[in-house]
Amino acid sequence: MSIPAGYRLVSTDVSRAAEVLHVTSFAFAFTPPVKDADFVTRIYPFEAGRALEVADASRGSVGTLAAAHTSFRFRLAVPGDRAIPTAGLTWVSVHPGHRRRGLLTTMIADHFSRSLERGEPISALYASETEIYQRFGYGLASRSGVIELANGTTFRDIAGSDDLIVEIDSASFDKHAGILRDVQSRMTRPGTIVDFEEVTVAEAFLDLEYEREGAEELRIVVVRDEDKPLAWALLSRKGAWELFGANGKVTVKAWGSVEARATARLMKVLTSFDLMSKAAIGHVPVDDEILHLLANPRGARQAILDNLWVRVLDVKAALEGRGYAADCDVTVDIADAQLPDNAGVWRVAVRDGEATITRVTGNGEADLAMNIQELGAAYLGGTSVSTLASAGLVSERRAGAAGELSRAMASDRAPLCNLDF
Ligand SMILES: CC(C)(COP(=O)(O)OP(=O)(O)OC[C@H]1O[C@@H](n2cnc3c(N)ncnc32)[C@H](O)[C@@H]1OP(=O)(O)O)[C@@H](O)C(=O)NCCC(=O)NCCS
């Protein structure tokens, strides 16, 4: 891995938290108030922290951090009711005084090799700007809906929904992180973080006073039956008094649910707070059941955003680690500029939901050709290989091969990651 002249790669443990916050606040243009400055120690996974520091006085003060990143280690649900070890790349920051010198490129190469060493066949991220990561092979693997529902929205009846228990409280990491862990572990939609270190959900509970902009402190709604929690939402309400009365707004920061009756009950609670006129809810799967339970679907304002970007780091382990919806037998020529071990022709043979992935040698032409970015886009089953072929991003050299691989890789539910990281 090449490192730009004048810098060196280092690990950043918690003793360098203030320096990490310094470079991050320069990259993302924020200044946390002094009294909140320790928040980074609660939400940053320092065990995986990496950085580039200045090694030559021509670049600045030797030993200062010029760039930093880290990654969460978790298991991500994938098609076929399975989960795969994943490196959740995050907090990618280059100080503006050191940008466009190749520091991000070095950090990505470092991230790939460390993730592979840890046995993580895929990396996933949320992009601050969508152009940045495509050059490194990340593909758009899931999309997320944002909906705005009017207070008092009517939902169709769903059996058992009204019998569930609802608890509303001030949100507390110590008290409620276990509820998130419990619910997430029973969710199976591809793209869900199902098994994680607690630090992964610490940011969801972050509630810095200076970021509230007049809204109340963070609250939590938990929907449960007698035995266990079934759904949760972290939210805040912002009251507003206008000439004709109350016009408050509910903003849902994050939510998750195991089953439809709990989702329906949760949505009813979120749209029935007194003095509120609407609720904004993000991280809605594009095929979510709630969209079918609205009595007036046209009454919901909706927008679709990009959600998770996936980078396949190890073709064989990644493709054998997920399940399949149909048999197939196709050869795929993969181009990978950063990880040459992935490049070349692979045979994808699927029988009864299980794939066997083998390297193909020889001169024969493969059925399909694609960049590793397209494999990442298709990986969670939310983007069809046929669509990518129609877009000219996958070349089909044997008629029907794109459809065959599409049907095998399809997911019966649209993928979505409901936790930001
Ligand atoms: C985005 C950021 C990480 C890039 O770091 P950097 O060290 O300047 O990037 P590099 O020098 O390694 O650039 C690598 C390539 O990506 C391109 N690139 C970098 N940032 C880009 C952006 N925001 N949009 C499009 N392309 C970008 C560069 O032009 C370069 O292309 P080239 O190889 O064709 O010349 C840095 O500008 C930053 O910290 N920005 C603010 C925080 C942020 O957005 N972080 C991402 C979090 S998801």
Side-chain angles (χ1 to χ4, degrees):
M1 170 189 333
S2 82
I3 301 176
Y7 299 94
R8 61 177 164 247
L9 271 169
V10 293
S11 292
T12 48
D13 65 17
V14 72
S15 70
R16 302 197 74 171
E19 294 167 80
V20 167
L21 183 60
H22 179 79
V23 73
T24 303
S25 63
F26 265 92
F28 286 96
F30 69 93
T31 307
V34 175
K35 78 179 182 59
D36 288 323
D38 74 332
F39 81 90
V40 73
T41 60
R42 286 180 271 133
I43 65 173
Y44 195 94
F46 279 98
E47 324 79 63
R50 297 284 283 171
L52 282 152
E53 68 177 18
V54 174
D56 184 309
S58 66
R59 293 298 193 196
S61 181
V62 173
T64 56
L65 296 190
H69 77 277
T70 187
S71 54
F72 291 104
R73 274 81 53 83
F74 48 73
R75 293 175 74 81
L76 195 73
V78 291
D81 288 339
R82 299 180 194 193
I84 194 162
T86 302
L89 178 62
T90 186
W91 288 82
V92 176
S93 308
V94 175
H95 188 288
H98 300 271
R99 65 197 278 281
R100 305 302 181 266
R101 292 176 182 165
L103 300 194
L104 171 65
T105 308
T106 303
M107 289 200 295
I108 294 282
D110 184 48
H111 169 70
F112 286 178
S113 79
R114 291 172 69 85
S115 303
L116 284 166
E117 272 167 28
R118 289 192 299 250
E120 294 153 350
I122 64 168
S123 169
L125 58 79
Y126 285 91
S128 61
E129 289 179 294
T130 52
E131 278 177 44
I132 302 175
Y133 293 99
Q134 299 184 52
R135 69 181 59 241
F136 301 114
Y138 284 85
L140 177 50
S142 58
R143 293 170 193 274
S144 157
V146 178
I147 59 173
E148 189 178 273
L149 298 176
N151 217 37
T153 290
T154 307
F155 298 93
R156 295 170 64 183
D157 286 338
I158 178 159
S161 179
D162 291 338
D163 303 332
L164 296 170
I165 300 157
V166 173
E167 292 162 359
I168 303 174
D169 200 352
S170 292
S172 146
F173 177 77
D174 292 340
K175 192 171 167 190
H176 300 117
I179 291 175
L180 268 62
R181 172 185 290 286
D182 191 348
V183 172
Q184 293 293 129
S185 70
R186 283 177 282 128
M187 291 167 66
T188 55
R189 181 182 289 280
T192 305
I193 296 174
V194 289
D195 182 12
F196 49 89
E197 301 159 324
E198 280 208 336
V199 66
T200 310
V201 289
E203 192 167 350
F205 287 92
L206 195 65
D207 183 28
L208 302 180
E209 214 174 312
Y210 85 104
E211 286 184 332
R212 285 188 197 147
E213 295 178 340
E216 66 176 343
E217 65 176 2
L218 195 66
R219 313 286 192 198
I220 189 166
V221 176
V222 179
V223 178
R224 57 168 72 246
D225 62 13
E226 272 89 29
D227 300 328
K228 52 196 176 316
L230 300 172
W232 57 271
L234 289 163
L235 67 125
S236 63
R237 295 167 301 168
K238 186 173 180 180
W241 291 98
E242 295 179 358
L243 199 56
F244 297 101
N247 186 23
K249 181 177 175 182
V250 180
T251 301
V252 177
K253 187 175 178 190
W255 68 281
S257 174
V258 181
E259 51 181 276
R261 65 186 173 126
T263 311
R265 186 61 187 277
L266 183 67
M267 294 298 152
K268 283 186 198 169
V269 173
L270 297 174
T271 52
S272 60
F273 284 110
D274 290 339
L275 308 179
M276 300 293 119
S277 62
K278 58 194 170 192
I281 305 162
H283 296 104
V284 180
V286 294
D287 61 350
D288 198 66
E289 58 262 11
I290 202 69
L291 302 171
H292 298 276
L293 291 173
L294 292 168
N296 172 19
R298 204 183 293 160
R301 296 178 59 194
Q302 302 180 37
I304 306 289
L305 303 172
D306 59 297
N307 178 241
L308 221 52
W309 293 75
V310 167
R311 205 313 174 175
V312 173
L313 303 176
D314 178 334
V315 167
K316 182 175 166 63
L319 290 181
E320 289 184 348
R322 51 157 286 173
Y324 293 81
D327 288 355
C328 78
D329 193 346
V330 294
T331 52
V332 188
D333 191 353
I334 290 178
D336 190 331
Q338 286 88 26
L339 295 172
D341 284 355
N342 290 326
V345 180
W346 296 90
R347 179 174 176 209
V348 182
V350 175
R351 285 284 166 278
D352 303 326
E354 303 274 340
T356 306
I357 310 295
T358 45
R359 249 197 193 289
V360 180
T361 49
N363 297 328
E365 192 175 60
D367 300 334
L368 298 170
M370 67 175 83
N371 194 287
I372 195 78
Q373 179 181 352
E374 274 56 68
L375 192 64
Y379 185 71
L380 295 178
T383 306
S384 101
V385 175
S386 289
T387 300
L388 296 171
S390 314
L393 298 167
V394 168
S395 308
E396 187 180 55
R397 294 159 176 175
R398 172 174 64 81
E404 200 180 324
L405 188 57
S406 273
R407 288 187 290 281
M409 292 187 78
S411 167
D412 58 352
R413 279 170 307 159
L416 181 95
C417 186
N418 65 321
L419 291 174
D420 282 328
F421 60 86

